[in-house]
Every structure is written in C-alpha cells, then in structure tokens.
Amino acid sequence: MKNWIEQEYRNRIQAESVNDSLVGKRLFFAGWAFRYRDQGGVIFVDLRDRSGVIQVVCRKELLGEEFSKVEKIRSEYVIGVSGTLAFRDSDSVNPKMVTGKYELIVEKIEILNASKTPPFALDEFDPTGEEVRLKYRYLDMRREELKERLISRHKLIFAIRQYLNDESFLEIETPILNKSTPEGARDFLVPSRLNQGQFYALPQSPQLFKQILMIGGMERYFQIVKCFRDEDLRADRQPEFTQLDMEFAFVSEEDIRREIEAMWKFALDKVFGVKINTPFETMPYHVAMEEYGSDKPDIRFGMKLVNVSELVKDSDFQVFSGAVTTGGVVKVICVPGGANISRKEIEDLTSWLNRDYRAKGLAYMKHGASGLESTITKRFKPEVLEAIAKAVGSKEGDMLFFGADSSKIVNASLGALRLKLSEKYDPPKTEYNFHWVVDFPMFEYDDASKTWTFLHHPFTSPKEEHWEMLRDWKAGKTVDLSKIDAKAYDLVLNGTEIGGGSIRIHNSEIQSLVLEAIGIDEASAKDKFGFLLEALSFGAPPHGGIAFGIDRVMMILTKGQSIRDVIAFPKTQKGQCLMSEAPGFVEGKQLEELKLRVVTI
Amino acid sequence: MKNWIEQEYRNRIQAESVNDSLVGKRLFFAGWAFRYRDQGGVIFVDLRDRSGVIQVVCRKELLGEEFSKVEKIRSEYVIGVSGTLAFRDSDSVNPKMVTGKYELIVEKIEILNASKTPPFALDEFDPTGEEVRLKYRYLDMRREELKERLISRHKLIFAIRQYLNDESFLEIETPILNKSTPEGARDFLVPSRLNQGQFYALPQSPQLFKQILMIGGMERYFQIVKCFRDEDLRADRQPEFTQLDMEFAFVSEEDIRREIEAMWKFALDKVFGVKINTPFETMPYHVAMEEYGSDKPDIRFGMKLVNVSELVKDSDFQVFSGAVTTGGVVKVICVPGGANISRKEIEDLTSWLNRDYRAKGLAYMKHGASGLESTITKRFKPEVLEAIAKAVGSKEGDMLFFGADSSKIVNASLGALRLKLSEKYDPPKTEYNFHWVVDFPMFEYDDASKTWTFLHHPFTSPKEEHWEMLRDWKAGKTVDLSKIDAKAYDLVLNGTEIGGGSIRIHNSEIQSLVLEAIGIDEASAKDKFGFLLEALSFGAPPHGGIAFGIDRVMMILTKGQSIRDVIAFPKTQKGQCLMSEAPGFVEGKQLEELKLRVVTI
C-alpha cells in the first residue's frame, strides 16, 4: 500500500530548497501539516519539514477519491505529497514565507501518521511554561526557536572540529568511568559491581588525562566531551555539560591564545557570518578587578569603577573615611544620564546589593547644573567633589554611585550594579566582545579555612620569574604567596567566562612546591593523582591547554536565556528530565548486585 | 633562560615534514631523545616527535659550552634543538628512516625535561605484558603501534563526521544521565543526591532519544557517543564503548543501506586508502545461518555448511539418522587440502567443540583417491557417499567434517570450526568484506523462560506483509510468531558484526501488538518507555536507523588483537584502569550525602 511512497523517500527534497528552476517539475515532499485551510474542494496545507514550510494545494478535482484523505488531515499529521511545483498567482504570493511565491499542486498524497492535538501551539509565540515544553521536548523541537538552536549547535561544534583537525589536533576519547578525587566540586559516583564497595566517578573534566596525553606524545589534543558536577543547581547549571577540552605540547601562553582566537574567528564566521577581530584584547586580572570589579568584565560599555579612596579618606563623611582607614576602599561609577533614577529605584538597588553582595549601603550623588549634589555633599570640600567628578568623568545629568567597604565587597557590588544599569544607561556598543583576562594570582588565601588554595588548579604553572619566591617560601623566608602569578588565562565573551586554561607544571620540583604551598602532602598527593606525578618524571614535555563551556558559548551566540535553551534534553534545577522522568527508583535486585542499600534518615 | 625556546615553539616543524627544499634552512624541532650515540665530541640523537624521527647532530666544536647539556641527554629526555638542515653523507644515509637522508646540525639546544628510564623499550618490539603497558599507558602511547592507532581513530571518526555533515545529518547530544530500564543488559547506576533513593542510569544506547529526535522533526541525526554496559567482562568487552548512532526519518531499509555503504566507502578510502565495492552483498538471515552457521558470517572464504540430512537420514549410521529423525540436522563442511589433519588434531577439535558448543562428536571423512574414506563410510551406501562428496564439492586431499545434532548446535559448532580452519586451509581472499544480513525474525522463543522475546528491540518494525499475522495472533488464531520477519539489518565486516539497526514502528497499533507479543503489558510498557509511546501519538514520522561499534571497527581496520588496542585508556576485564587505579573507595561523607551504605555480605 505504502510502496509508492517508500520509493519516493529517496527523491524527497526539502521545502526551502525549491527555486525557480524547479517550477513545472514533479517533486516529492514529506513532513508535518503545519497549518491548513479548507476552502471547500480545495485544501491548502502548509507542509513543514526541517528546512521550513511550503504550501501544498490539494484539489478535489485532481485528487478524486484520494481527496477524502486530505480531509482527514489535522495539525501535526505526517504526510507525504507528490505533485508539480508552480508559481502562485501574484495576488497570493506570501512575501513573509521563504517559499512564498511557490506552491505544490498535489497529485498524490499519503497520510503517514496521525497526531493528537499538541498541548501548545507550534506555529507562533506561545506563552506555555518551560515545564510543559520540557515534558514534550519533541514538540518544542518542532518550533523554529529550539530547532534553529540545535542546528546551530551542530554547525558550531562541527566547525570547531574542522578547524582543529586542519590544525593537526587529534580528538582522543578519555574515560567517563574514572576515579573519584575529592578536589573541586562534588563527583557523581557510579558503584562498581565487579569491584564491590568501590566506585567510579564521572569526570568533572579530563584534566589529568589530557596532561597524560601530552606526556604520551600526542602533542595536540582536543575533545568535545561531556563533563559532570553534582552541584546544587542554583544558577544556570546542568549536572552534565559539554566541554571543548584542549591541550598543546611545546607551547607558550601566547601561542595558545593565537590559536584559540583563530578558531573562534573561523567558527563564528562560518556558522553565524559574524566577523570578529583578532587578536583579542588582553587584560591583567588586577585591572579587571580594579576597573570592573570582576574577573570576567563585560567591556562593551563604560561605567568603570574609579578608586577615589585617596580623595575621600580625610572627608567628614565617616562611611567613606572609615572604610579607607580600616583597610577598605571607596569606588565610584558614573551612570551616564542616570540623574533621573528615582529615590525608590535607588532604595531597591540598595537592598538588592545588601542582600546579594553584603554591601552596607549605596551612597550616590547627582551631577547637577552646579556639580555634584546630594544629601552628603556638604561633608566634602568643594575641591574634593570637583576632583571626584573629574576622576569619574561625569557631566550634568549623570548619577554617581559609591561603594565603601572591603575591596572585595565594593568590587562585587559596584561590578554587579554596573551590569544591571548597562542596558538602560550605557548599552553595549558591539554585539560580541571576546577578551582575555591574564596574570591571575596562583594562590588565594581562604579566610574560612585559613589556608592557601589554588585559583585555577594545582597543575597550573607559576610564572618562571616567581619560582624563586616559592623556593624562598620553602626555605622558610617570609613570602607573600598572593604575589605569585600563574600562567593562567580566561576567555571572556560579553561578560561571561566561556573558557579558561593555563600552562601546566612539567617540572617535578615546582609541582611539589605548589602542592606543599596549598597543604597537600606527599602521601595525599600520591593518593589523589599519583599517576600524573609519576608520569611527570618520564619526560613530560612543556604543555598547556584550555577548556570551553560549549553550552554557555552557544547560549550567548544564539541569544538564549538559559543553557537549557541550547541543550536537546536538559534537566531541571532538581536534576530531573521531565520527559523521560529520570532519575527514578530501581529494582531491589539492582542494588543487591551492587551490595548497596539506600539508607533512610 | 628558556626564553629563546618559548619563542621558537611557534616555528616548530614536525620531524617527518622535512624535504629537500628545507635543506640549508634554520629549523627548530622539539621532541624526545629516542636513541643516541656518543662518538666523542659528536653526539647523534634521534629526536622523535608525533610525526616520526629525525637525526640531530651535536658537535662539541659548534656548541662549545652548550655541549655539556648534550652529554646529559638520556633516553626519553625532552629536548628542543635549533640548527641547519643538511643532507647526510651518502654513506650514512639510512634508507629505513623516512628522514634518513637528512640530519640537523644543531646550533642551539635545550633540555626541556629529564626522564627516568622507562620500564619497557619504546623503540622496538618489546614482549612486555599488557599489564605494564596499561599502567604506563603514556609510555606505550609513544610507541608506533598505539600512536598510529589513536591517530587513525581520530581520522576515521573525523571522516565519518565530515561525510555525515555533508549529507545533512545533525549531531545532537543525548543525555548520559538517564532513567534505568530493566530491558537488555545491566545498567550502570548513578545515585542522585538531589532525588534521594533515586538513580540515574548510564545509557546502553541512545535508542529512545534518537527516536524522540525523529518525532521532534530533526530528520537526520547522528552522534558519536559513549555507551555503557555493566556486563561480566568475558570476551573482548569494555564497560564503556563508543558508538556511532544514527537515525533517519522518511526512509526505507534500502535508503539506509545505500547511505551507510557510501559512508564507509568514503571513510575507508580517506583514512586508509582502502577501496571497497558498493553496494554491499545482502544475505537473508536464514541463508547466513544455513550456509555459515552464523548470523555474522565471514564470507571471504568458502567451506560453507552443506545440509546433507536428506542424504543420510536412512543410513545405518545411527548418529546421523537419529539426529534427523529427532528433528535435528546433519551438515558437513569440506576443508580443502585438509586430508592431512592428524587424528590428534581432530581429537583436540572434537573436545573444543564439545566444551564450547555442546557438540557431542565430530564425524569426519577424508576424500581419498577413490572417494570418501573413514571408519564410518561402511555404514553408507556408495551412492550416498558420492552424493555427499558431490553436494559439498570435495576433491581428493580434502577433509569433510560433519555435525549431527539440533540445528542450533550444528550451526554453532560447524560455524566455529569453519572459522578456525580458515587461516590454514582456506584463507580469506579479500582484505575487507562488508555485507548485510537482513530479514531477521522479529521474535525468538526463549526455551528457558518459555516466552517470546525480541531479536533486535521492541521498537523494530515487523515487515508490513506480516502485520496481518500479528493481528491474527491478537485475535486468538494460531500463528507461528517465529515466521514474522523484522525490518532489521546487521552490517558484518570480516565476520564481525559491526553494526545493526532497523526500521522502527511509528504506528501505535503495531507497537502495542509487538509489546503484547513479548509479554510487556500496558502498565509496564508505560513505566519503562511511556514517553516514547506517548510521543508516537503526536505525529511520528516513519523512521529507522542503525548503530555501529566504533571500537570494533577500528580494531578490525588497524588489525588489533583486542578493542583495548584502539582505546586510549581502556579498562581490564575486571573493569579497572591500571593507570589511574579506578574504581576506588570513596570517603564516607560522599556516601552519606547520597544516603547510601555499602552492605557487606
């Protein structure tokens, strides 16, 4: 019965591949009935396939008995049609459709499958909540938005692979079933049945394996690979995410950056036709923190943080002077044209910054006709106010917001305020801005545990010129470990960190010193990553690498709201798949085989 | 200190990229000291990088004080050298080396890292056991064998992606954290911390998701993806393996096969320069079983199984006649030139077939000067012996082996015997043979559980012409379910099944009948894959697909002994990684968070 149509599948063409040269030809299309209009004796169906939509015209006079099939068609029925492509009459051309000047005069038709009525509309904006769209992900996928994002994702990842293949990188698969190391985030565990009482861990990243590959002489490695973190899914996180992981041997920081820039330039042009300039701007970490209050600044607009501690430290305004004398800072941002921000808005901003960033208050001054004005301006000498206005470059109609606290709190709160006010008062001047943040400190003091910890990871190399400081520290001299810089770099796109990496340590003396500095003794180092330490002693080449979060990159490039928008089957914040209902309870037998018991509290 | 060399990295060229045009040029190489010869005042080092080896010549007269560095070089030290490329003297040209007519006259050298002495030799065949090579995988990787396999693997996978991208397939990632379904092999489980008492399962294949993608309108999907099975690792299996997974909408069996053939043709030519003929031969399942005793026959040589049941059923030889009268079969294979197989060898073969295939005995006859000869020939009429010889096509000097038992045992044992004797008596005539096995039965009766089960999986479509049998069965008529064929196909390469697939059911009536036939009731079907059944009711297009085991394909194409040979970091048969020592015990705190307890027996 369906034989004619099975034979036609191989001749099938995509809706949006029609063109003038095909007019008059017999063509076969298959897809979904997107919209249909019954005009009595003539039924118009918009047939939708992956490429788009084409109007097919079913005339009773032409189809005879077959026309009864057409009358059964409803939304989302699957149909196959064979007919002759024609130009539409000039008055029925639809300029909004890519194929709006064509129609197919149907000669043969088959309903390939029926469909229940979808729970939400597929053909236009539908305010349906995300939960329903996640449950019926296959229907959401038929909508333009998600479909286009998944197609772009394929294209971007393929373009990256193409570029890296041409540049002699090898894609090498590393294991998903690994050993658990208590460093970093929480591991997902996988009980081993063959090794009872033992567990595999899903990788948080292939870090150790990619270094091993360099020691193994693979020289240039990449992998587009799933990574896993069992985190509390606050923010926009997924338990599994996709990483572009790379490692190079015989390489400098500079070499890695140039290669990465060329890769993104190629991929963005190829997939989105977006031209970006290279080399990317490079900003030292301390400048990013000082001027933007963030290690991943969005530099597509101004409102930089300006340090006015020196100007205000002797003022009568105790909030400012006190902050400076107790070791803190006073910084200010200038919001262009922000003088009309209302007192109510300022109150809302103040309580938000207090709640989320522990900022005790939000002092402000308007730049009026005669300079800075505020309830607090009388506490400052006129020349100080002038100097502040000058330092921050304000002009009449601007608003100045101040932060006065520890530099950590001031940076975080003013940095956040800057981002929040950008859209309205100082919108980004370019669509995409990639830039590097470099010269990260190697170590960070953790006030809570009163220990030094690493900012990137313990295999990151300190800058050569700072190795001597480590040796001095080892020899018992007083050394400020925070002054040791790492050969680490992050890539920031529009204020989001999309990737980071470093030159690794390939020298066992320095590796031991670094581990010692962060309080990992030999025995525990051996237990955690002994195989890497041993491998380093068998001729490890100088090497370094980087890793990118593909989901985040895709979200930014396709203007999604969440990484869920660029993942075919995402999980909710509780780690559930609403479509397949994972996770679930398992049979007792499965746990018995693993010698595991679920313990109720 | 190392600054000159960091600057040189970007100019580095690969050892085997040298050619005549580079002679006289200043070049920079970096790599490992593979071999070295100290001739007093001149040290020759074979520098090895990913591409191969080049000889670098370090002269004391040229290097001055730097020469002391050269004297420190030992095997596997990492070095960077800068110098001028020269032709070797004609008497020192090494025709065995790709770069054998060149040498680099070193002007600058740096030791980038030292190395301990490797536990096994890297430069030639080393009989080191696999365990040591797995523990020091990074050293094994520096050896030609493993390195070349990993490079070919990258190339093959990239070529496949390239082909499929060009053919409009989209690579779409499906989740690794899934719901456990008790069908098929044992799942690896991942406890969910956010949903206590519940578990994710690692995917055995993305089967349900790829069908969902078709229902979602993605039309042509592929993915190269890790899959997982918690099996007892007898044979050559890995707990995680790599699959090329594909699915097509609006497709016939034939269309899929043509596309797959073109894909392998492209990839094998591109990566290995191997030309294969398409279309591949197609063999019905019942022919494969009848003539080769296997559903994955190696058809590169003869020795087919010939059914002689009719000829021997009335003979005096009770072993044969009895087998036939009790519903079994008698089959024979002819081993060309096998007449010299000794009695001892036959005894060994007999006990092997008895042990592994439950064959009760192995009758044999030689084809001598006057026809078939054996201790049992007197039990047969001369014309029967002649007919047997004729049926099997034997000639003087050949050996005939017989199997007489249930067809299951005869097929398995003679099929295995055929493979075993091939190398010596009837070696394969082509390097690579791809062929399809088609027309699989839909259902198989399981004697143990006395139930019908599926041969492929429950979403495979029965052939349209057999749908009526299913409806009859449902209506209570007597129907032999084993006579229903599936639209399923396997691809066999050199006697190994490398992939299999089917046209899926897209019709909910047939899906229900199939599930019912294999004893899955509605409630349990809903629990196991309810979301797929629901999705099928929302306009599922006709679709089908296939999946390939990439590790197996690579093993065959690179002539490996085990799939471990083509995996960068494989696990042992106990599921352990000897390098990273996964799996391992975890901290009590990790289990507490998961509300799990390991139960000792």
Side-chain angles (χ1 to χ4, degrees):
Chain A
M1 169 194 83
K2 279 194 195 151
N3 226 19
W4 77 268
I5 212 158
E6 263 204 23
Q7 296 299 321
E8 284 283 16
Y9 288 154
R10 68 200 60 165
N11 305 319
R12 171 169 181 252
I13 67 164
Q14 292 275 301
E16 296 201 349
S17 68
V18 295
N19 58 48
D20 287 3
S21 77
L22 293 174
V23 170
K25 298 258 161 61
R26 212 171 159 284
L27 302 178
F28 175 77
F29 297 92
W32 287 261
F34 192 37
R35 284 178 284 250
Y36 59 96
R37 254 176 316 135
D38 188 343
Q39 298 199 337
V42 188
I43 293 178
F44 295 88
V45 181
D46 279 353
L47 179 149
R48 189 195 64 237
D49 61 21
R50 197 175 82 187
S51 73
V53 172
I54 187 157
Q55 176 172 292
V56 307
V57 185
C58 308
R59 294 183 195 283
K60 193 169 187 174
E61 57 183 46
L62 216 67
L63 290 167
E65 283 183 13
E66 299 274 287
F67 194 72
S68 63
K69 286 183 195 163
V70 183
E71 291 176 309
K72 288 191 194 128
I73 292 174
R74 295 291 173 270
S75 277
E76 299 306 310
Y77 273 42
V78 187
I79 57 175
V81 295
S82 175
T84 303
L85 190 69
F87 286 116
R88 297 194 198 181
D89 294 340
S90 59
D91 55 341
S92 51
V93 164
N94 181 347
K96 286 184 199 151
M97 279 174 79
V98 175
T99 62
K101 61 175 180 170
Y102 308 105
E103 59 188 12
L104 187 83
I105 310 301
V106 175
E107 288 147 26
K108 259 175 136 173
I109 186 161
E110 211 69 66
I111 293 183
L112 297 166
N113 215 346
S115 174
K116 291 196 291 197
T117 304
F120 49 85
L122 303 184
D123 62 341
E124 50 198 33
F125 173 74
D126 188 292
T128 306
E130 198 186 11
E131 288 212 355
V132 182
R133 292 194 289 110
L134 287 174
K135 179 168 160 62
Y136 297 95
R137 193 65 168 172
Y138 42 90
L139 297 177
D140 201 20
M141 231 171 246
R142 293 185 195 163
R143 294 168 69 172
E144 199 64 12
E145 267 191 340
L146 181 53
K147 183 190 78 178
E148 285 304 325
R149 287 202 173 105
L150 294 177
I151 293 175
S152 297
R153 185 180 174 118
H154 159 76
K155 285 184 181 166
L156 185 83
I157 289 178
F158 184 73
I160 289 171
R161 283 198 161 102
Q162 211 170 12
Y163 179 85
L164 295 177
N165 179 69
D166 288 348
E167 288 286 299
S168 300
F169 286 83
L170 300 176
E171 185 160 24
I172 301 176
E173 296 161 69
T174 54
I176 297 293
L177 296 172
N178 288 308
K179 191 177 179 183
S180 179
T181 54
E183 298 301 303
R186 202 182 285 105
D187 282 328
F188 277 107
L189 297 182
V190 183
S192 166
R193 186 178 52 88
L194 295 174
N195 304 276
Q196 287 184 349
Q198 297 186 42
F199 292 80
Y200 300 102
L202 302 182
Q204 297 187 23
S205 94
Q207 181 63 35
L208 301 183
F209 285 98
K210 69 176 174 174
Q211 293 194 241
I212 288 287
L213 288 170
M214 292 305 101
I215 299 171
M218 294 293 112
E219 300 196 1
R220 307 192 117 200
Y221 144 90
F222 82 102
Q223 192 183 187
I224 293 177
V225 63
K226 282 282 178 71
C227 298
F228 305 84
R229 277 183 208 165
D230 185 10
E231 289 175 299
D232 293 318
L233 304 170
R234 290 154 282 125
D236 191 17
R237 298 277 175 83
Q238 287 281 312
E240 59 184 287
F241 53 95
T242 303
Q243 188 164 300
L244 163 59
D245 195 47
M246 298 175 67
E247 198 77 7
F248 313 52
F250 306 111
V251 74
S252 70
E253 278 188 76
E254 188 82 4
D255 297 339
I256 293 179
R257 293 204 288 263
R258 291 301 89 82
E259 186 71 87
I260 294 304
E261 289 162 358
M263 178 188 82
W264 287 119
K265 189 186 182 82
F266 171 86
L268 265 71
D269 187 15
K270 179 124 186 164
V271 180
F272 299 98
V274 167
K275 313 286 178 193
I276 55 174
N277 293 324
T278 54
F280 301 157
E281 195 177 322
T282 296
M283 186 183 290
Y285 170 82
H286 74 90
V287 173
M289 294 307 291
E290 187 62 22
E291 298 187 358
Y292 297 90
S294 167
D295 58 358
K296 42 181 190 288
D298 191 336
I299 61 174
R300 294 175 300 161
F301 55 91
M303 296 197 283
K304 288 190 200 177
L305 280 59
V306 177
N307 194 326
V308 292
S309 304
E310 279 302 308
L311 293 175
V312 301
K313 70 172 196 272
D314 301 319
S315 75
D316 290 344
F317 189 51
Q318 170 60 21
V319 174
F320 285 8
S321 55
V324 180
T325 52
T326 57
V329 293
V330 178
K331 288 186 173 187
V332 56
I333 63 171
C334 169
V335 183
N340 59 346
I341 299 177
S342 71
R343 182 162 302 184
K344 171 71 175 69
E345 285 175 90
I346 294 174
E347 272 168 23
D348 289 348
L349 293 171
T350 306
S351 54
W352 162 60
L353 293 176
N354 178 264
R355 190 180 64 241
D356 288 8
Y357 300 93
R358 296 187 293 134
K360 286 191 285 284
L362 179 64
Y364 62 93
M365 299 180 186
K366 285 181 192 176
H367 195 127
S370 51
L372 300 184
E373 303 165 356
S374 159
T375 53
I376 56 168
T377 43
K378 56 181 179 288
R379 316 281 192 95
F380 301 89
K381 291 181 188 145
E383 60 268 31
V384 168
L385 294 175
E386 266 169 48
I388 291 173
K390 195 178 163 197
V392 78
S394 65
K395 57 184 190 319
E396 193 179 336
D398 294 349
M399 173 73 94
L400 275 60
F401 286 112
F402 294 82
D405 209 315
S406 70
S407 67
K408 205 166 189 168
I409 288 176
V410 170
N411 284 340
S413 57
L414 284 191
L417 184 62
R418 180 183 170 268
L419 293 180
K420 182 157 209 133
L421 298 176
S422 153
E423 196 181 335
K424 188 156 174 199
Y425 296 98
D426 192 7
K429 286 167 193 67
T430 51
E431 191 175 10
Y432 297 112
N433 180 283
F434 287 88
H435 69 100
W436 296 103
V437 176
V438 300
D439 300 345
F440 282 83
M442 182 76 198
F443 304 107
E444 194 176 40
Y445 192 71
D446 181 35
D447 291 318
S449 65
K450 303 223 178 296
T451 53
W452 288 94
T453 180
F454 46 84
L455 220 75
H456 267 72
H457 56 62
F459 313 112
T460 297
S461 177
K463 302 220 164 200
E464 276 88 352
E465 56 267 36
H466 295 164
W467 288 8
E468 214 45 45
M469 290 168 75
L470 266 178
R471 294 187 183 112
D472 286 350
W473 171 83
K474 171 76 179 170
K477 294 187 196 164
T478 304
V479 172
D480 181 356
L481 289 177
S482 76
K483 294 277 184 276
I484 297 180
D485 279 347
K487 298 177 91 167
Y489 32 82
D490 278 359
L491 186 60
V492 177
L493 170 58
N494 295 0
T496 298
E497 185 219 314
I498 59 166
S502 65
I503 299 293
R504 325 300 182 187
I505 300 170
H506 68 280
N507 168 309
S508 44
E509 178 213 355
I510 299 300
Q511 185 66 75
S512 302
L513 288 176
V514 165
L515 290 173
E516 213 175 315
I518 55 176
I520 298 182
D521 65 23
E522 224 180 290
S524 110
K526 210 179 152 186
D527 186 46
K528 284 169 188 166
F529 24 73
F531 70 101
L532 178 64
L533 299 181
E534 180 163 28
L536 285 173
S537 69
F538 281 106
H543 62 291
I546 193 162
F548 295 95
I550 289 292
D551 308 300
R552 278 201 219 172
V553 172
M554 275 309 300
M555 180 186 78
I556 298 171
L557 295 177
T558 65
K559 318 239 189 295
Q561 295 299 306
S562 151
I563 61 171
R564 290 188 297 278
D565 291 341
V566 296
I567 295 174
F569 302 103
K571 303 246 181 345
T572 64
Q573 298 231 325
K574 268 207 82 181
Q576 293 165 329
C577 172
L578 297 183
M579 184 185 74
S580 66
E581 296 180 340
F585 294 99
V586 297
E587 296 184 353
K589 181 171 156 271
Q590 289 173 279
L591 296 184
E592 267 166 43
E593 285 187 314
L594 298 171
K595 304 290 174 211
L596 279 186
R597 186 177 296 158
V598 175
V599 188
T600 42
I601 331 159
Chain B
M1 168 196 86
K2 278 192 197 154
N3 225 21
W4 76 268
I5 213 157
E6 264 205 21
Q7 295 298 322
E8 285 283 16
Y9 288 154
R10 69 200 60 167
N11 305 319
R12 173 170 180 250
I13 67 164
Q14 292 274 302
E16 295 201 349
S17 67
V18 296
N19 57 46
D20 288 5
S21 78
L22 292 174
V23 170
K25 298 259 160 63
R26 212 172 159 283
L27 303 177
F28 176 77
F29 296 93
W32 286 261
F34 193 39
R35 286 179 282 250
Y36 59 95
R37 258 176 314 133
D38 189 342
Q39 297 199 336
V42 187
I43 294 178
F44 296 88
V45 182
D46 278 353
L47 179 149
R48 188 195 66 238
D49 61 22
R50 197 175 83 187
S51 74
V53 172
I54 187 157
Q55 176 171 292
V56 307
V57 186
C58 308
R59 294 182 196 283
K60 192 168 187 172
E61 58 185 44
L62 216 65
L63 290 168
E65 283 182 12
E66 298 274 287
F67 193 72
S68 63
K69 287 184 196 164
V70 183
E71 291 175 309
K72 288 191 193 127
I73 293 173
R74 296 291 173 271
S75 277
E76 298 307 309
Y77 272 42
V78 186
I79 56 174
V81 295
S82 175
T84 304
L85 189 70
F87 286 117
R88 296 195 199 181
D89 294 340
S90 60
D91 55 341
S92 50
V93 165
N94 181 347
K96 286 185 201 152
M97 278 172 80
V98 175
T99 63
K101 63 175 179 170
Y102 308 104
E103 60 189 11
L104 187 84
I105 310 301
V106 175
E107 287 146 27
K108 260 174 135 173
I109 187 162
E110 211 70 65
I111 294 182
L112 296 166
N113 215 346
S115 174
K116 292 197 290 198
T117 306
F120 49 85
L122 304 183
D123 61 341
E124 52 198 32
F125 173 76
D126 187 294
T128 306
E130 197 187 12
E131 289 213 354
V132 182
R133 292 194 290 110
L134 286 174
K135 179 168 158 63
Y136 297 96
R137 194 65 168 171
Y138 44 90
L139 297 178
D140 201 21
M141 228 170 248
R142 293 184 196 166
R143 294 168 71 171
E144 201 63 11
E145 267 188 341
L146 182 54
K147 183 190 76 178
E148 285 304 326
R149 288 201 172 105
L150 294 176
I151 292 175
S152 298
R153 183 179 176 118
H154 159 77
K155 286 184 182 167
L156 185 84
I157 289 179
F158 184 72
I160 289 171
R161 283 197 161 104
Q162 212 170 11
Y163 178 85
L164 294 177
N165 178 70
D166 288 348
E167 288 286 297
S168 299
F169 286 83
L170 300 177
E171 185 159 25
I172 300 176
E173 297 162 67
T174 54
I176 296 293
L177 296 172
N178 288 308
K179 190 176 179 183
S180 181
T181 54
E183 298 301 301
R186 200 182 284 107
D187 282 329
F188 276 106
L189 298 181
V190 182
S192 166
R193 183 177 54 87
L194 295 174
N195 303 277
Q196 287 184 352
Q198 298 187 43
F199 293 80
Y200 299 102
L202 303 182
Q204 296 185 26
S205 93
Q207 181 63 35
L208 301 184
F209 286 98
K210 69 177 173 173
Q211 293 192 242
I212 287 287
L213 288 170
M214 291 306 100
I215 299 171
M218 294 292 113
E219 299 196 3
R220 307 192 116 201
Y221 144 91
F222 82 102
Q223 192 183 187
I224 293 177
V225 62
K226 282 282 177 70
C227 297
F228 305 83
R229 276 182 208 168
D230 186 11
E231 290 175 299
D232 294 318
L233 305 171
R234 292 154 280 124
D236 191 17
R237 297 278 175 84
Q238 287 282 312
E240 60 184 285
F241 52 97
T242 303
Q243 189 163 301
L244 163 59
D245 194 48
M246 297 174 68
E247 197 78 5
F248 314 51
F250 305 110
V251 75
S252 70
E253 278 190 75
E254 188 81 6
D255 297 338
I256 292 178
R257 294 206 286 265
R258 290 302 90 81
E259 187 71 89
I260 295 304
E261 288 161 359
M263 178 188 81
W264 287 118
K265 189 185 180 83
F266 172 85
L268 264 71
D269 186 16
K270 177 122 186 167
V271 180
F272 299 100
V274 168
K275 313 285 179 195
I276 55 174
N277 293 324
T278 53
F280 301 157
E281 196 177 321
T282 296
M283 184 182 289
Y285 170 82
H286 75 90
V287 173
M289 293 308 291
E290 187 62 23
E291 297 188 358
Y292 298 91
S294 167
D295 59 358
K296 43 180 190 286
D298 191 337
I299 61 173
R300 295 174 300 161
F301 55 93
M303 296 197 283
K304 288 190 200 178
L305 281 58
V306 176
N307 194 327
V308 291
S309 305
E310 281 301 309
L311 293 175
V312 302
K313 68 170 196 273
D314 301 320
S315 74
D316 291 344
F317 189 50
Q318 168 61 23
V319 173
F320 285 7
S321 55
V324 179
T325 52
T326 57
V329 294
V330 178
K331 289 186 172 187
V332 56
I333 65 171
C334 167
V335 183
N340 60 349
I341 298 177
S342 71
R343 181 162 304 186
K344 171 74 175 68
E345 284 173 273
I346 294 174
E347 273 168 22
D348 289 347
L349 292 171
T350 307
S351 53
W352 162 61
L353 292 176
N354 178 263
R355 190 180 63 240
D356 288 8
Y357 300 93
R358 296 185 295 134
K360 287 191 284 284
L362 180 64
Y364 60 95
M365 300 180 186
K366 284 180 193 178
H367 194 126
S370 51
L372 299 185
E373 305 165 355
S374 157
T375 53
I376 58 169
T377 44
K378 56 179 178 295
R379 316 280 192 94
F380 300 89
K381 293 182 187 143
E383 59 268 32
V384 168
L385 293 175
E386 263 170 52
I388 291 173
K390 197 178 163 201
V392 78
S394 65
K395 58 185 192 317
E396 191 179 340
D398 294 350
M399 172 73 94
L400 275 59
F401 287 111
F402 293 82
D405 209 316
S406 70
S407 67
K408 204 165 189 171
I409 288 176
V410 171
N411 284 339
S413 58
L414 284 191
L417 184 63
R418 178 180 171 271
L419 292 180
K420 182 158 209 135
L421 297 176
S422 153
E423 197 182 337
K424 190 158 173 197
Y425 296 99
D426 192 7
K429 285 167 194 67
T430 50
E431 191 176 10
Y432 297 111
N433 180 282
F434 286 87
H435 69 101
W436 297 102
V437 176
V438 300
D439 299 344
F440 282 84
M442 182 76 199
F443 304 107
E444 194 177 40
Y445 192 71
D446 182 35
D447 292 319
S449 65
K450 305 225 178 292
T451 53
W452 287 94
T453 180
F454 46 85
L455 220 76
H456 267 72
H457 55 65
F459 313 112
T460 297
S461 178
K463 302 219 166 203
E464 275 89 351
E465 56 268 37
H466 295 164
W467 288 9
E468 215 44 46
M469 293 168 74
L470 265 179
R471 295 189 182 111
D472 285 350
W473 171 84
K474 171 74 181 172
K477 297 188 194 163
T478 303
V479 172
D480 181 356
L481 290 177
S482 76
K483 294 279 186 274
I484 298 179
D485 279 348
K487 298 177 92 166
Y489 33 82
D490 278 358
L491 186 60
V492 177
L493 170 57
N494 294 0
T496 297
E497 184 221 315
I498 59 166
S502 65
I503 298 294
R504 326 298 182 188
I505 301 170
H506 67 282
N507 169 310
S508 43
E509 177 213 356
I510 299 300
Q511 184 67 74
S512 301
L513 289 175
V514 165
L515 289 173
E516 213 175 315
I518 55 175
I520 298 182
D521 64 23
E522 222 180 294
S524 109
K526 210 180 152 188
D527 186 46
K528 283 168 186 165
F529 25 72
F531 70 101
L532 178 64
L533 300 181
E534 179 161 29
L536 285 173
S537 69
F538 281 106
H543 62 290
I546 193 163
F548 295 95
I550 289 292
D551 307 301
R552 279 200 217 171
V553 172
M554 275 309 301
M555 180 187 78
I556 298 171
L557 295 178
T558 65
K559 318 233 187 302
Q561 295 300 305
S562 151
I563 60 170
R564 290 188 297 279
D565 291 341
V566 297
I567 295 174
F569 302 103
K571 302 244 178 355
T572 64
Q573 297 232 326
K574 269 209 79 181
Q576 293 165 328
C577 173
L578 298 183
M579 185 184 74
S580 66
E581 296 179 341
F585 293 99
V586 297
E587 294 184 355
K589 182 172 155 271
Q590 290 173 278
L591 295 183
E592 270 166 42
E593 285 187 315
L594 298 171
K595 305 290 174 209
L596 280 184
R597 187 178 295 157
V598 175
V599 189
T600 43
I601 333 161

